[in-house]
Amino acid sequence: MKRYKIIGIALIVVGAVMLFFSENIAGKVAAGQSRINSAQGQVNSTNSLFNSSRYTKPFGQAFTGGAQNQIDQGQQQVDFYGNVANTMRFGGIALILIGIGFIYFGRKKKSS
């Protein structure tokens, strides 16, 4: 039954490492989202200057079109890595619980 204890400890360690990396990724995702929100605010304020007239609207889109494309691509990456962080977080928790189960249920039973 020692084998179950070793497997349980290994699963707990792997789960803890997954939780650590998921928190690291989540922190970077939050920083990226903050930068995206700031850039989107700048693009929106620039667009509001040019959107007052139908004649100036194409100029505003010409100035901000490239930036908006980069913001959209950045948002896709933030969404992807946010999903990766959540998956790693739930996977890490699951591995820790399974590891505890291996340790708890894998111990020798006392004979009566």
Side-chain angles (χ1 to χ4, degrees), residues 9-29:
I9 291 171
L11 288 174
I12 290 171
V13 169
V14 170
V17 169
M18 286 177 69
L19 282 176
F20 173 76
F21 281 115
S22 73
E23 290 304 315
N24 187 16
I25 292 170
K28 291 182 181 188
V29 165

Side-chain angles (χ1 to χ4, degrees), residues 19-110:
L19 282 176
F20 173 76
F21 281 115
S22 73
E23 290 304 315
N24 187 16
I25 292 170
K28 291 182 181 188
V29 165
Q33 187 65 51
S34 174
R35 289 181 64 196
I36 287 172
N37 291 341
S38 173
Q40 187 65 57
Q42 291 175 352
V43 166
N44 290 345
S45 65
T46 302
N47 279 337
S48 69
L49 292 173
F50 287 100
N51 285 344
S52 59
S53 168
R54 65 182 173 138
Y55 300 111
T56 59
K57 191 172 187 175
F59 294 111
Q61 291 174 345
F63 284 131
T64 61
Q68 187 63 51
N69 287 339
Q70 287 183 342
I71 290 170
D72 293 341
Q73 289 174 354
Q75 186 63 51
Q76 288 176 349
Q77 285 184 335
V78 163
D79 292 341
F80 173 76
Y81 286 111
N83 290 335
V84 168
N86 286 335
T87 302
M88 285 182 70
R89 181 177 299 121
F90 291 127
I93 292 170
L95 284 179
I96 289 172
L97 293 175
I98 292 169
I100 291 170
F102 264 84
I103 291 172
Y104 181 74
F105 293 114
R107 40 180 209 194
K108 289 184 179 179
K109 305 221 183 219
K110 293 181 180 178

